[in-house]
Each structure stands twice: as structure tokens, then as C-alpha cells.
Amino acid sequence: MRKFKINTCKLIVAFVLLIFSSCEDNNDPELLFEDTPAVRIEKRIAELKSSLQSSENGWKITYFTDDTELGGFTFLFDFISDSEVLMDSDFGTPDVNTASLYDITLGSTIKLTFTTKNVIHELSDSDNYPDEEFVGQGYRGSFEFLYYQTDGDDILFKSNRDRSNIIRFSKATESDWMNLTANNKDMLNNYIPKDPLKSVFRNLILETESNTTLYNFSFNAPRRYATVTAITTDAIESDISFGLAPTPTGFIISPEIDVDGVKLNEFNYDTDTSEFVAENNGVKAILRYESDLNFVLPSYDLGNEPNNSIRLYSTRFSLNDDSESFTQFMDDLRAFFSESLGGRSIQRIYVYNLDSDEPFIQLRYLSGSTTYRQNFPVTKTITEDALGNRIVVFTEIQPGNTHFSRRGFLPFIEYLTRESGFYIQRRGNLNANQKTIGLIAVDDFTLLSHWYDF
Amino acid sequence: MKKANIFIAVIFFAIISACNPEENKLTESNLDTDTPELNVTDSWLREYFTIPYNIEVNYKWHEGRVDLDRYLSPPTLEKVIPVMDIVKQVWIDTYSELGGENFIKEIAPRELLLVGGKNLNPSGTRTLGFAEGGKNIVLFETDLINVKDKSEVTMFVKTIQHEYAHILNQQIRYDEEAFKEITPSGYTSQWYNPADEEERFDIANSQGFITDYARLNENEDFAEMLETILTNNAEEYQELLDNIKAKIISNAVDAALENLPTTATQDEIDAATQGATVTATPEAENAIALIKAKEAIVADYFKKSFNIDLYELQKLATDNILKAIQ
């Protein structure tokens, strides 16, 4: 057997090599960035602070706090120092001259916090809410914004309460501070809500090259939210409700209307037509007062329902949905009646026997402490328009009832026996037990009266 | 052999020099360690709360200091000093004058947290304040107080007096056993039922509790007693007890009259009234006696634990409310 001989020198050399190489440091994490995390965070904070202060006229945001139920609120911020900010808004009660404090700190990421109260906190005040459903939640707003990224000149933040909600800070201009919030409020208060003196039908029409879809539009001003549901029966999207934020020229919406990838989010007001229009790439949305009935109303088969008499709603309940014009007409009628008839007053108005060919309008009025009634016989004709909407025309049977009360009641007889007649619309029930019917004058869409059957 | 020595020397050198990375020199912190600038409010709070009493007053919003699920907001900057001045005069100055300058320094929450708006629960009830582990007290609605209005200021001060009672109790125990035995069966976690506040107070008062919330447990009972005493002067407090008594009797009379048939004669009505009064009077007196028994334990606690006369404290605390609103 050959003896294995160890050469001491070689062994020592090998050992030395081993020692030298043993401390080769190859476990250090690779530095992906130039600086350590702590330095980078501090840098980002400083960056954000200086960019917020760098905009000469500050910033503006339109903040949709929760676009499933609420609209958008526009704020202007002017970061006047490392700690102070001035604000204006089209919401709440801003005081543009009093600074509040802000800070940029590290939360779950770098965030901007408005640390003492200013108008933006009115969105997050548990006791300041649009209606009872929001008690304890205010307008579900946040006043802490997580720094997300920059996009051109804009800075994007995420709401600290809802991280999927991205809020865009854009540079404001001098004129924004002069009139943006006032113009927004003007739009919000005077143009976006339904004009009570215009047609009771206000619809949103969505037009593409191939089809047109009609939607009911109902605006809840305190929430800044529009419920938009399809009238067209085969609509692709039956509910496109959205939150709405006023702009000086109209409003923007969230969520956007999306028609096969074409998005609409900005509506502009046309003073000539009183319409709001949004248009993009061949898709158009128009919010307008209808002067023609180009859609089908929920139907009520007057004369063929189980109940065949109706009473004017406002002669029983103060809460009703009559149009402004009709309410005004009734106020005038009551005043005229009393004036013409020595203080007598209208109590109730009915139309009886609608299932017969000769129904009658019944007036009940109070004289002293006694109620009297007078009937005014009419004929009833029901026709349908091209879409199948029913129109009722009442005509007074001559010679008419010449009782002296006719003198005071004449405006109402004339109203109800107008030549054009009335569209009959089944309305949402205003009280639990009876069906509610709307009569809309065919020749004047501002006149909507409510009746209930019995 | 010589060669071997050289090799050994080389190895030795190699070992000691092998793992000697150069140490980085200590440089300035990467974090921003500058002292934050103090505004007027910060300086005021430092001067009157932090330096003398080691109490930090936080008015700037800090996520995580309050319940995130709530919709709360910080106070308006300009309203912080006026409100904290009330706190100082009515709470700190009162205890300092009678308990000595070090009283609040030694026993105090280390933090007061201010929230500007209401803490409204979706059910419509609202929380006015709370204390956590004796370390901090959260005060709500600081933006809403009119600092010149006695009843609003009193309402606000109640929160502090109440929470401070807990903090005192955590430092030195009161005779819980004896206190609990006064109205042992009245305590309930359902103190907030029924919904009607007046009804709740009627139930609580008739059972010997000063307020509805006092029914939660003996500690709240104690705090409610102290709070009531320190926010009503001697006359107002006596009037409050007299009213409790009168209300118990009048409720009994109302109940008796309700049971009478509608045809009852005046004599029958008079008789029912008198009967109910006779029965209810000892009950009412008993309720007051129970409250007074609790009051005695509170007074005894202050005397023995802190050598403070409760009634002197009451006078000073209520006088200081009047002073603060001037």
C-alpha cells in the first residue's frame, strides 16, 4: 500500500487560501436604489412638501368620497408654508382667509393629512350628513391622502379610507380662486336640479350610432347623486346612476358612463336648450326636458281599474308630488274661489264614475261650517298615442251646472276639460292604500297633478 | 522549523486581518431630527400643560389615536387655547389649589386628545369622552363649545371630572366593597334602556343612582357622583336631590291617577293622590339616602386619600366654572 504523504507546506498554503477566501462577503443585499429606505422616505416627504408648495396658485381636487351613493366635492388648497394651508370649496362653509394646519408624514405610506379643522373636514363630520341614512358617517370623506404617484403636473393620492379611490391634485389658477367655487355652486343650485317651471319629464338620452336608450333622471341635491334608470325596456345597462360634481360649465360624473369602451364623464350645459351634453367618439349623452312624449309611461287604465273614482291628492294630503306650476295654479284657484264667493273655500275635488261614459267632477266647498257639494258632469274619451300612452280628454256636458259656485271653480273646470287632454301616468304610491295617478297636460308638460283612486 | 514559524506567522496575520471590513463612520441621521416648529398654540400648551404637568395635549389629527371606523375630525386651531384654558382653570387649578401644586403633576393622564366634532353613533347616540387605562383622556366636541356659556362649559367639564375620577381611583382605591353594597342589585350593562332619557333617569334615580350611566357599575357610579358634585354647587346639588325626590313622588301619583277609571270623582282623585304620595315618600327618601350614602364614601375617599375636603373642592370647582366663562 502506498503511503499517502502529506506535504506540510502545501497544506499550510491551502489553509491560508481557505482562510483568505472564507470571509468573502457575498451575502450583502444588493442595493437596488441609491439610498437606504429611510433616506428615500425622507426625500419623498421633502419632495412632496416642496411640490405642494411650488404651485403658485395651489391645487384643486374634485373628491368623490363614495360614488355609489354620493357625488363629488371640489376643493382648492393653497399650501402657504411648511405647515399651513388655505382652503376654498363648493361645499360646506369655507373660510378662505383662515389657515389650518397640514402635515406630511409616514403612515402606511407617505401621506398628506389636514391636521386641524378646515372645510374638508365637513365631509368627515359624523354629525354633518345629507340625510338620515348617513347619520354618524357625514359624507364618508377622508382628510388623509396617501401619496401615490405624479402624472405630468398632477399629483395622485389615494383616500386613506378607501384605497381604491384615487384623487387627482391639479394645479389651480388665479381665476379658480376668484370664481371657481361660486360658479360651481351656481351650477349646482340653479341648473342641475330640475327646473320646477319646465317639463316634468327630464330624461337622459344615450345615443350611439346604432341605438338610443332613454333613462329616467332623478337628482338628489344633498347627496349630489343622480339615480339614472332605464325607461327603454331592452337597455343594455338598466342602471347607470352616478355621483355628480358641478363645474362652471356643467358637471362631471363618477362612475363614468361606459359604452363599449367609450367613456363619458363630462357634461356641458347649453344655455339655449337647457340641456347638458356629454360627447365622445360618436357616443352622446343628453340630459334634457322633454317636450314630446317619446317614451312609454307606466300605465294606469283609467275607467277599467277596480276603483273608478279619483280624488285630487292635494285636497287631502299636504305632502304630494305635484309640479310647481300645478301647485301654483291650485294656490291661485283657492284664492280666487274665496275671493269670488265671499270667503267660501275649496275642500275636496273628485272625479266620480270613471267607468261610465258620463263621469262628473265633484267640488266640495265649505261655507261657514257646512260642507256643500256640486257636480259638474263631463264626458270621458280615452285615446292612445303611437307609443301606446293613454290620453284622457274630459269635455263638459252642456248645458253645464250653473250653480253659483261655478264662478269660483271655473278655472279648474277649464283646466280639467282642456282640449288637449292629459297623459295618464301610474306614479309611485304616495300613500299605502291607494294607487297614485299622475295627469300631465298634453299641451303643457309643466302641469302634473296627482290623484288617488278609491 | 524556521519555515514553519514563518507560515504560522502568515496564518496568524491572515486570520486577524481576514474579517476586517472598514467601519463606516457615523454620519448625521437619515431621519429628519429637527425640532418641529412650534406655533402659538403649541407654545401655549407647552407652557401651561406639558412643562408644568407633563401632560401632552394633542389637537392635531393623528390616525390611530381614535377609532378609524368613526367619522371624526380635529379641532379648529383657533379654538384649542380657549377650550384648554377652561380645562386648566376648572380642573387643574381646582385640584392644585386644594391638593397642592404637585397634585396634578403626580396623578394625571399623560395625554389629552382633542376631537373637534361630535362622535355620533349611527344609532344617534353620542360619546362625549373616554379615558384609556388612566393614561389618556379623549375629549370630543371641542369645536362646539361656547366658552362663555355656563351650561355648555359645565357639560364639557363633566367629561374631564368624570374621567379624572377614574384616574384617581386607579391611583388609590376607594372602598369599592362598601360602595357596591349600597345599591347592589341596580347595576346593569343595559343602563341605556329604555331609549327615552327622562325615563332612564327616573329609573336610575328611584333606585338610588345619580344618573342613568351610574348604573353601569360601581366605578362609573363613583365617577358620576363625583362629576355631579363638582359641576353643581352646594345649592344646585341640593336642588338636584330635591327634584329627584319630587319626581319620584309625582311619578307615583301620575301612575295612580292613570289607573283610576275616567269616571272618578274629585274625592277619589284626591284620595288616590294622597295614597300614592304617602307610599312614595318613604321610597323617595330612601333613594336620596342611598345617593347620600354614596356621597359619604366619595367624601371620605377624598379626605383619607388626599386630605381634600370634597365640599371645598365642590365650591372651588364650581366657582372656577364661573370664573372661566367670564
Side-chain angles (χ1 to χ4, degrees):
Chain A
M1 200 176 120
R2 196 179 157 210
K3 201 177 175 188
F4 192 76
K5 196 179 173 188
I6 300 170
N7 180 325
T8 318
C9 285
K10 282 183 183 164
L11 189 69
I12 288 169
V13 168
F15 191 49
V16 169
L17 283 175
L18 183 72
I19 288 169
F20 272 117
S21 69
S22 67
C23 290
E24 190 190 351
D25 183 356
N26 53 9
N27 292 321
D28 277 357
E30 207 177 331
L31 213 52
L32 290 174
F33 302 96
E34 209 169 288
D35 297 314
T36 59
V39 173
R40 280 185 288 127
I41 287 165
E42 288 298 324
K43 273 190 180 168
R44 294 260 287 177
I45 289 177
E47 255 170 43
L48 182 58
K49 228 170 211 185
S50 76
S51 58
L52 285 177
Q53 286 177 61
S54 72
S55 173
E56 196 190 339
N57 294 296
W59 301 84
K60 65 178 163 189
I61 69 168
T62 296
Y63 178 21
F64 285 86
T65 54
D66 174 359
D67 67 10
T68 63
E69 289 184 76
L70 294 162
F73 308 89
T74 295
F75 292 89
L76 293 170
F77 304 128
D78 191 357
F79 298 90
I80 52 174
S81 74
D82 265 358
S83 62
E84 288 172 300
V85 61
L86 294 172
M87 285 187 205
D88 194 4
S89 179
D90 64 16
F91 170 76
T93 46
D95 173 4
V96 283
N97 299 314
T98 306
S100 65
L101 302 182
Y102 77 95
D103 206 355
I104 294 166
T105 55
L106 182 65
S108 51
T109 181
I110 291 160
K111 69 174 177 186
L112 165 67
T113 305
F114 295 105
T115 53
T116 63
K117 188 169 182 283
N118 206 319
V119 63
I120 194 166
H121 297 91
E122 293 181 35
L123 288 176
S124 318
D125 180 347
S126 66
D127 195 32
N128 180 41
Y129 41 85
D131 54 62
E132 293 298 316
E133 261 183 58
F134 286 78
V135 171
Q137 307 173 58
Y139 289 78
R140 296 186 184 154
S142 181
F143 47 86
E144 295 200 283
F145 301 102
L146 306 175
Y147 184 25
Y148 175 44
Q149 65 179 62
T150 53
D151 178 19
D153 275 353
D154 294 354
I155 308 175
L156 305 186
F157 290 85
K158 291 178 178 181
S159 154
N160 197 36
R161 279 193 188 273
D162 174 9
R163 313 241 160 131
S164 63
N165 189 357
I166 292 168
I167 297 125
R168 180 177 289 269
F169 280 51
S170 309
K171 287 191 171 169
T173 63
E174 200 179 344
S175 77
D176 285 340
W177 286 91
M178 314 258 284
N179 50 35
L180 175 65
T181 60
N183 288 343
N184 282 359
K185 280 190 240 181
D186 182 41
M187 187 55 69
L188 180 69
N189 298 329
N190 301 324
Y191 298 95
I192 295 172
K194 197 153 110 180
D195 184 339
L197 297 173
K198 290 204 163 83
S199 167
V200 294
F201 298 115
R202 193 191 200 194
N203 295 331
L204 187 81
I205 297 103
L206 194 57
E207 291 176 358
T208 64
E209 278 166 17
S210 54
N211 63 26
T212 300
T213 317
L214 220 60
Y215 292 88
N216 263 320
F217 181 89
S218 161
F219 179 59
N220 179 327
R223 292 191 187 190
R224 301 191 176 185
Y225 192 78
T227 305
V228 187
T229 48
I231 297 170
T232 309
T233 43
D234 55 353
I236 297 164
E237 294 269 358
S238 61
D239 187 341
I240 54 165
S241 299
F242 46 74
L244 172 165
T247 65
T249 55
F251 56 82
I252 52 173
I253 65 171
S254 178
E256 309 170 307
I257 297 173
D258 185 340
V259 183
D260 297 332
V262 180
K263 289 175 178 169
L264 299 175
N265 67 357
E266 189 178 347
F267 283 77
N268 284 304
Y269 186 66
D270 182 333
T271 357
D272 295 335
T273 59
S274 305
E275 291 175 356
F276 287 91
V277 181
E279 205 165 2
N280 184 16
N281 218 354
V283 179
K284 193 173 176 185
I286 309 150
L287 175 62
R288 73 167 174 230
Y289 295 99
E290 302 284 11
S291 53
D292 297 317
L293 203 57
N294 52 2
F295 53 94
V296 180
L297 294 171
S299 75
Y300 178 88
D301 197 358
L302 198 75
N304 294 310
E305 297 272 341
N307 293 327
N308 283 304
S309 295
I310 56 175
R311 175 170 172 186
L312 185 62
Y313 224 98
S314 61
T315 62
R316 175 156 178 206
F317 298 105
S318 58
L319 191 148
N320 66 71
D321 224 2
D322 290 342
S323 69
E324 186 87 1
S325 298
F326 184 75
T327 305
Q328 187 59 52
F329 167 76
M330 282 303 292
D331 289 348
D332 292 347
L333 174 73
R334 286 172 186 282
F336 175 72
F337 189 89
S338 287
E339 203 179 294
S340 330
L341 299 172
R344 292 172 178 81
S345 61
I346 293 176
Q347 275 206 309
R348 304 179 182 192
I349 298 172
Y350 296 91
V351 184
Y352 277 99
N353 299 348
L354 285 161
D355 53 342
S356 77
D357 289 337
E358 289 192 11
F360 56 87
I361 306 167
Q362 184 175 85
L363 161 71
R364 296 192 194 176
Y365 66 91
L366 196 66
S367 176
S369 57
T370 313
T371 301
Y372 297 92
R373 52 187 76 180
Q374 281 300 318
N375 296 341
F376 300 87
V378 291
T379 59
K380 176 202 78 179
T381 321
I382 291 192
T383 54
E384 281 185 14
D385 71 4
L387 294 166
N389 288 310
R390 290 196 183 85
I391 297 168
V392 60
V393 179
F394 297 107
T395 313
E396 197 178 15
I397 295 173
Q398 297 300 340
N401 180 345
T402 53
H403 182 259
F404 73 88
S405 63
R406 179 188 183 84
R407 202 164 67 239
F409 195 51
L410 191 59
F412 194 86
I413 297 172
E414 285 171 350
Y415 157 77
L416 203 65
T417 58
R418 68 199 311 119
E419 239 172 79
S420 69
F422 296 88
Y423 281 110
I424 308 159
Q425 182 184 15
R426 173 84 162 87
R427 305 276 295 180
N429 283 357
L430 292 174
N431 68 336
N433 304 321
Q434 284 111 343
K435 287 180 182 167
T436 301
I437 307 124
L439 293 184
I440 302 115
V442 173
D443 60 349
D444 186 351
F445 277 7
T446 73
L447 284 173
L448 163 64
S449 59
H450 283 83
W451 303 71
Y452 65 84
D453 71 3
F454 62 94
Chain B
M1 203 55 212
K2 236 183 181 180
K3 250 184 190 171
N5 281 347
I6 291 169
F7 279 126
I8 288 165
V10 169
I11 290 168
F12 184 69
F13 178 74
I15 289 171
I16 57 168
S17 67
C19 296
N20 185 23
E22 237 174 77
E23 288 279 332
N24 285 333
K25 276 183 196 163
L26 272 180
T27 54
E28 273 189 30
S29 170
N30 287 331
L31 303 171
D32 180 3
T33 53
D34 290 343
T35 316
E37 268 179 49
L38 297 183
N39 61 36
V40 177
T41 304
D42 294 330
S43 304
W44 190 92
L45 292 171
R46 225 170 234 216
E47 188 180 344
Y48 291 101
F49 282 85
T50 315
I51 293 170
Y53 302 106
N54 189 19
I55 297 171
E56 190 181 7
V57 181
N58 282 322
Y59 64 93
K60 292 177 194 165
W61 188 257
H62 194 298
E63 183 187 19
R65 304 298 294 115
V66 291
D67 189 348
L68 284 176
D69 290 335
R70 296 296 171 110
Y71 287 86
L72 303 170
S73 53
T76 303
L77 182 59
E78 290 71 29
K79 296 201 170 166
V80 173
I81 293 178
V83 162
M84 291 315 293
D85 194 33
I86 300 261
V87 173
K88 184 187 171 299
Q89 291 191 57
V90 179
W91 170 53
I92 294 187
D93 291 356
T94 302
Y95 276 99
S96 299
E97 193 174 330
L98 287 178
E101 223 173 90
N102 287 332
F103 194 91
I104 296 282
K105 290 184 190 178
E106 285 163 7
I107 311 174
R110 296 280 75 95
E111 184 196 21
L112 293 177
L113 186 70
L114 309 186
V115 173
K118 282 184 188 171
N119 183 4
L120 203 65
N121 308 309
S123 63
T125 59
R126 63 194 233 256
T127 306
L128 290 171
F130 55 80
E132 283 174 328
K135 292 292 175 226
N136 87 344
I137 295 180
V138 186
L139 299 170
F140 294 97
E141 303 185 20
T142 59
D143 261 18
L144 307 177
I145 309 153
N146 174 358
V147 294
K148 298 287 168 209
D149 182 284
K150 188 189 165 200
S151 68
E152 284 186 30
V153 166
T154 304
M155 194 69 192
F156 177 67
V157 164
K158 274 183 177 178
T159 309
I160 303 156
Q161 299 292 24
H162 177 104
E163 302 303 343
Y164 192 56
H166 290 313
I167 289 167
L168 291 174
N169 290 165
Q170 283 157 11
Q171 287 290 318
I172 301 178
R173 289 186 59 200
Y174 65 100
D175 191 345
E176 288 163 30
E177 295 310 316
F179 195 94
K180 205 157 57 174
E181 278 312 305
I182 298 172
T183 50
S185 59
Y187 294 111
T188 170
S189 57
Q190 299 289 312
W191 66 272
Y192 48 81
N193 284 325
D196 183 68
E197 194 187 18
E198 189 181 336
E199 254 180 83
R200 275 203 315 269
F201 264 80
D202 283 349
I203 294 169
N205 292 158
S206 67
Q207 296 182 9
F209 294 92
I210 195 80
T211 66
D212 53 350
Y213 185 49
R215 289 178 73 204
L216 180 57
N217 58 44
E218 68 276 11
N219 293 330
E220 297 305 338
D221 198 359
F222 185 100
E224 290 287 287
M225 280 301 304
L226 182 60
E227 167 200 312
T228 307
I229 292 165
L230 297 187
T231 49
N232 290 282
N233 67 28
E235 284 157 26
E236 288 163 345
Y237 180 66
Q238 187 53 49
E239 201 182 322
L240 194 144
L241 294 184
D242 292 345
N243 286 341
I244 289 176
K245 189 177 160 185
K247 186 80 194 294
I248 293 172
I249 296 169
S250 76
N251 282 346
V253 170
D254 288 349
L257 293 182
E258 254 177 47
N259 288 333
L260 284 184
T262 44
T263 52
T265 63
Q266 188 57 45
D267 284 347
E268 285 168 330
I269 291 172
D270 290 347
T273 306
Q274 208 187 346
T277 309
V278 169
T279 332
T281 303
E283 284 169 18
E285 278 164 358
N286 182 49
I288 299 300
L290 294 173
I291 293 173
K292 294 295 269 184
K294 290 175 186 174
E295 181 190 324
I297 292 182
V298 177
D300 187 53
Y301 171 72
F302 269 88
K303 194 79 213 161
K304 283 191 181 146
S305 308
F306 309 112
N307 194 25
I308 290 177
D309 182 318
L310 178 65
Y311 301 101
E312 275 182 52
L313 192 68
Q314 178 186 36
K315 179 165 187 345
L316 197 57
T318 48
D319 282 353
N320 281 346
I321 291 178
L322 297 179
K323 215 165 89 186
I325 59 172
Q326 273 171 14

